[in-house]
Amino acid sequence: METNLTSSAFKELAAAASGIMNPAVDDWRSRGGKVVGYFCSHVPTEVLMAAGILPFRMRGTGSTGTELSDAYFSSINCSFPRHTFNQALKGEYDFLDGLLCISSCDHVRRVYDNWKQNLPTPFIRIMSLPKKVGDPQVAWYREEIQILRDELGKHFGVEISDDRLREAIALRNQTRRLQRQLYELRKREHPPISGAETLAVMVAGSSIPAEPYNQLLRTLLDDLAQSNGSREYRARLMVVGSELDDPEYLDIIEGQGGLVVTDSICYGTRTMWVDVDETAADPVGALARYYIQERPSCPRMNGDQARRSQFLQDLIREFQVDGVIGERMLFCDFWCAEHYMNKVDLKEVGIPFLQLDREYILSGKGQLRTRIQAFLETMGR
Amino acid sequence: MHDKHNKDAIEKSLNRYKKERDWFAFLLQAAEMMDTPEGKLQVKLLRILIDSKEKVIDCSENGKPFIAAYYCTAPELFTAMDLPWFMIMETPFLAASAPYITEDLEGTEEIGLGTDLCTAIRLPIYYIETGQMPVPTAVIGLLSPCDGTTMLQQVLRHNSAWKNVPLFSPDPPYSSDERAIKYFANELRQMVRFIEEHTGHKLDIDRLREVCEESNRCYSLWQEYNELRRAVPCPHGWEIGGAQAFAVSQCFKAGDPRCTDWFRQLVECGEEKIKAGRGANDYAPERIRLLWFDIMPYGWIFEFMPWLEFEWGAILVTDMFSNFPYTLIDTSSEETMFHDLAKRNLMDVPMIRQARGTAENFSSDIVRLVKDYKIDAVIWPGHMGHKDGAATAGIMRATCRDIGVPFLHIGLDLFDRRYTSVDEVKDKVSQFFTGMGLG
Amino acid sequence: MRPFDAQVQRVTEYVEFMRAQGRPTREFTVPRALDDLRASLPIRVGAGANPKIILRSETHVELGSPEAGSCAMVLWTDRPSMIRDGAITLIGPDVAEAAGSSLPFGQIVLVGGAELGPDEHQSIGHAQYVADQIEGYMVRSSSRSIWSRVSTQAAQKGFSFDTLGRSLMVVFKSSLPKVQAMEVVFVTSSKDDVLRLNDIAQVASDIGAEIVKEHWKARGFDLECDLDCRSCHDKDVCDDVRKILAGRLKKKRTADAQRAS
């Protein structure tokens, strides 16, 4: 990823995003800290934090192939779990003390089964995520979170009190607020930070303990407050999609003149646009409501498409977006149908839309550049 | 927005549906010429099917309440509420071999749906988007077994003609314990309230009891029939059996005495043939007893299944849709009925059972079926839409090796013959049979 | 290994409890040696002994239908001394007393063998589904329970639960040589009595599921994997082997045909 940012905070964050392990995790572990990996932004990481555990969002970063995981997945399975599991089979995730999966999609839920059978990670669980966003589903998920809390407590020998949960929620919300401040800067006509750089910062946030991360963010925000963005661009773009954790992908888009000013992706606004209610008497209930009803949802959650579409349109307005790129990984049914609908909705409001199918590991860079150039041309930019 | 009073829109939405009805009417004419007990069964089945389609057409044309729903959303409830219903996804299962389907498949690509999306999902989305699906009074959505079905409900909701059609989708939890059953039972209760509110049809518990008891009789006869197929030779081939039994018991009007009557005849027909020592057909004696461990290849069934029997004497003795646990619905109280309906629909019904379960379901099912049905070969079609990987070809292969039965994994699209051509499939199957010394 | 020893003990306690409750309980002691067992039977037992299915019209008694209630389990131990080899216990009416009826059915098979272990678990479990191995007796192909029929013909030959117990012993001991001791308990007294066994059966089933998972793991499989020929690196080799096999078979057939002529 190309960058002109000289901020040392940014350099540290970008380094954390460029690999799986990073110095902050090393340091955490050397002080006896436990690390639990998790898939999907619906996992209530606050519960892990309340147990004194570092939640580590799973990625296949650095993977060069799926020769090991191919024996466990089909050729019609998404490349994200295939690469991530391949990294695990190679030992890149041996540092985990646990793995928390969730019934998010047909592809990722099989990671739980394969992992359980093949890797000796001591604590492995899968949560049942409802498929709707109603009150009975909040109640169900509240029970699931409570079960998780009990199981974590038993396994790791910690008491996860309501107070500790509240503290974790508050800390996580701090992260969300700081991240929103970062995004605020991107509303400027000349943002001081690019989409690729922002993604690096967001990805880093999923693999660094919250307190040092928040401190780095504050430093970065201070550094950026003084600078003016000098990058020239042809159009302001929003990227919409799922598991995108590779800043180089956005770098290629921005290299063609399309500045990514906002997003709705698994590492972006959907994880931080709204806070968990800190005033609720029942912190577990507050988490359940947040993860099922309050945060911007993804197409996994049935019956919420209108709200998601509105969310996109609000972001388009706030960030003065000129065009939207919908990215999805091959064989992802959720985003296949979601982008089908996004295309219709955005056409109605006159926003150009480009759908890009991709594999988890960036390939076909030339083709990608060509498609972005063509998209910008058709936008008249 | 779908205008109930816009006759043109209603007519357009019914065109394809009527074409399907006519396709089955054509098949009915052909079946009526068959003077065999099997022919009479086909006639009865087709009449039940056509009747259910006629009811939907009548409701749509005359503004009467009807719903879209699914076989695993407790259809006994719809029968008890005397509510006509149809399955949005029924075309790929019922009419994928109809001559006009290829054009529709091409249409799915033209509207921009990814070709890696399961065909069984793409087709209904295409019909919805092009106004070729009857718009019901309310929709009961399906959120399992796979990601594709969840998105189908959302696309439906997004469509301007369907946007204001009330929609309720029972939420299926991922776990399968008593807590999950109770949760799903509650979802079914909410579903009933939803239907009552939007259609005006009410649920009477005594009527539900009658329907559930009828459904139990149906299932009991289905179980009996499944036993008959264990006979050597098997009394029926692919034309009569699992797929039809599943459709009659779950898809048209669950808990209807006509369905029980069909099963009764099916069992009597099977018993007569067994007593006479007769096999599936008189022109192709049984040489290979097959377990087809998936749904049937509806997109090319007429080109493939008869060939299996003619060319190889390979009789499809049993398949995935025929094999399911038999959950009796305890009708002693409202609570037990909802509980058992939830259990049956969450965990037992074909395809849901397999997609939700672990590979151990497959392994133990195969061992049992091979033993009970004296299976000579197991075929796992490997449909492109089954991304959840509910089946594990490796486990199945190892299981079959352990019990000494040949196993074939193909890789195809059960609904779209363009994915893997029928000739390719025939070739693979022929090589398999030859290599294994079968037939 | 003794994963089921506690459940075996619970079965013993269950039988005592039923006896104490006044249920009619009968005990049969049968020969232990396989040949003696076979010789003592009024019906055939072995592969193909019941080649035809038993139709409804040919049924003397139906056992364990969903309406009547069913519970079945097989518990094994590597301590044969825990098992009363050759003992058959019947709680409730016998076959002859139940003509034309549909009885609730509990079947508990207890097997012991010093060399029994997790590797034998699945075979032991599957052995109870006897398919066509017992003349006049058919276990219906229902995945969750033992639901079976005794034919009228078999009943006329004197088929009883004693016969069934002996037959199961022949099936188990002949297909599983490591089984040294075997005991069978049948319950036909009432649906409640049968369903009372579910507590034990559920625990046994959960233990069994873990054993199965470990078994597949040890063989290098996971229970949710998606092995797909198209992603297998050895697919080409596999296809070639298949072609070679087909070619060889063709040659053999040609040679056989020439010899015959």
Side-chain angles (χ1 to χ4, degrees), chain A residues 71-72 74 110 113-114 117, chain C residues 217 222 224 226-228 231:
Chain A
Y72 303 95
S74 151
R110 293 306 180 203
D113 302 300
N114 286 321
Q117 296 307 318
Chain C
K217 185 177 169 181
D222 61 272
E224 293 288 350
D226 256 305
L227 279 182
D228 183 329
S231 65

Side-chain angles (χ1 to χ4, degrees), chain A residues 70-321:
Chain A
D70 278 346
Y72 303 95
F73 284 88
S74 151
S75 62
I76 57 169
N77 280 127
C78 166
S79 48
F80 164 58
R82 284 163 55 199
H83 278 283
T84 308
F85 190 58
N86 204 79
Q87 289 290 67
L89 289 172
K90 285 167 85 169
E92 298 291 337
Y93 279 107
D94 285 355
F95 64 90
L96 291 179
D97 300 291
L99 181 70
L100 187 52
C101 298
I102 199 163
S103 58
S104 51
C105 72
D106 290 341
H107 310 268
V108 169
R109 64 183 166 104
R110 293 306 180 203
V111 175
Y112 166 75
D113 302 300
N114 286 321
W115 196 297
K116 205 167 172 203
Q117 296 307 318
N118 291 283
L119 294 164
T121 309
F123 176 87
I124 310 180
R125 293 292 183 275
I126 184 164
M127 297 178 75
S128 169
L129 179 68
K131 293 189 174 187
K132 298 194 299 184
V133 296
D135 290 343
Q137 286 69 56
V138 170
W140 171 271
Y141 203 51
R142 192 196 173 286
E143 283 179 18
E144 288 288 299
I145 295 174
Q146 187 58 46
I147 292 169
L148 172 67
R149 178 193 199 178
D150 293 341
E151 287 179 345
L152 275 173
K154 208 187 292 187
H155 180 85
F156 289 99
V158 294
E159 198 216 326
I160 306 173
S161 62
D162 277 4
D163 282 342
R164 287 183 71 150
L165 256 181
R166 285 191 194 95
E167 282 166 20
I169 289 170
L171 182 58
R172 187 74 184 84
N173 276 349
Q174 255 184 48
T175 305
R176 292 182 177 109
R177 281 192 283 274
L178 289 165
Q179 288 170 334
R180 289 198 297 272
Q181 283 182 42
L182 184 69
Y183 271 60
E184 274 298 311
L185 298 175
R186 298 165 75 193
K187 289 181 180 175
R188 293 181 188 171
E189 191 183 344
H190 293 286
I193 187 169
S194 69
E197 289 157 351
T198 306
L199 181 57
V201 173
M202 297 300 287
V203 170
S206 69
S207 54
I208 289 179
E211 276 163 2
Y213 177 72
N214 290 352
Q215 190 47 53
L216 283 168
L217 258 185
R218 285 187 199 100
T219 307
L220 175 61
L221 285 166
D222 285 340
D223 292 343
L224 292 174
Q226 309 308 317
S227 71
N228 285 315
S230 55
R231 184 188 285 259
E232 290 299 318
Y233 61 87
R234 293 160 68 183
R236 296 170 69 89
L237 301 178
M238 174 162 74
V239 170
V240 178
S242 64
E243 219 293 337
L244 174 59
D245 60 33
D246 183 0
E248 197 188 347
Y249 188 83
L250 298 188
D251 201 37
I252 290 181
I253 293 171
E254 292 179 313
Q256 304 312 301
L259 182 67
V260 178
V261 296
T262 190
D263 62 68
S264 171
I265 56 176
C266 289
Y267 278 93
T269 59
R270 291 204 300 270
T271 61
M272 52 71 163
W273 210 246
V274 175
D275 289 342
V276 177
D277 181 2
E278 292 179 48
T279 65
D282 169 22
V284 178
L287 285 171
R289 254 190 327 278
Y290 172 82
Y291 282 101
I292 299 297
Q293 288 181 333
E294 291 169 356
R295 58 165 286 217
S297 72
C298 80
R300 161 64 171 69
M301 304 310 278
N302 187 63
D304 213 23
Q305 195 273 337
R307 192 170 74 105
R308 289 196 295 272
S309 185
Q310 188 58 52
F311 179 61
L312 294 192
Q313 293 183 39
D314 290 344
L315 287 176
I316 287 169
R317 208 171 30 252
E318 278 185 56
F319 287 81
Q320 295 173 284
V321 166

Side-chain angles (χ1 to χ4, degrees), chain A residues 354-374:
Chain A
L354 169 68
Q355 182 171 337
L356 296 173
D357 288 345
R358 52 180 270 258
E359 294 281 4
Y360 178 69
I361 297 297
L362 183 56
S363 61
K365 295 180 192 179
Q367 290 95 314
L368 178 58
R369 286 191 188 97
T370 304
R371 292 206 65 193
I372 301 296
Q373 283 169 9

Side-chain angles (χ1 to χ4, degrees), chain B residues 171-183:
Chain B
D171 180 40
Y174 194 60
S175 45
S176 299
D177 49 18
E178 193 57 33
R179 177 177 157 241
I181 294 171
K182 285 190 170 122
Y183 173 78

Side-chain angles (χ1 to χ4, degrees), chain C residues 111-132:
Chain C
V111 296
E115 291 176 37
L116 289 180
D119 286 348
E120 286 76 40
H121 174 79
Q122 287 189 91
S123 313
I124 293 170
H126 284 306
Q128 67 184 318
Y129 303 113
V130 298
D132 63 352

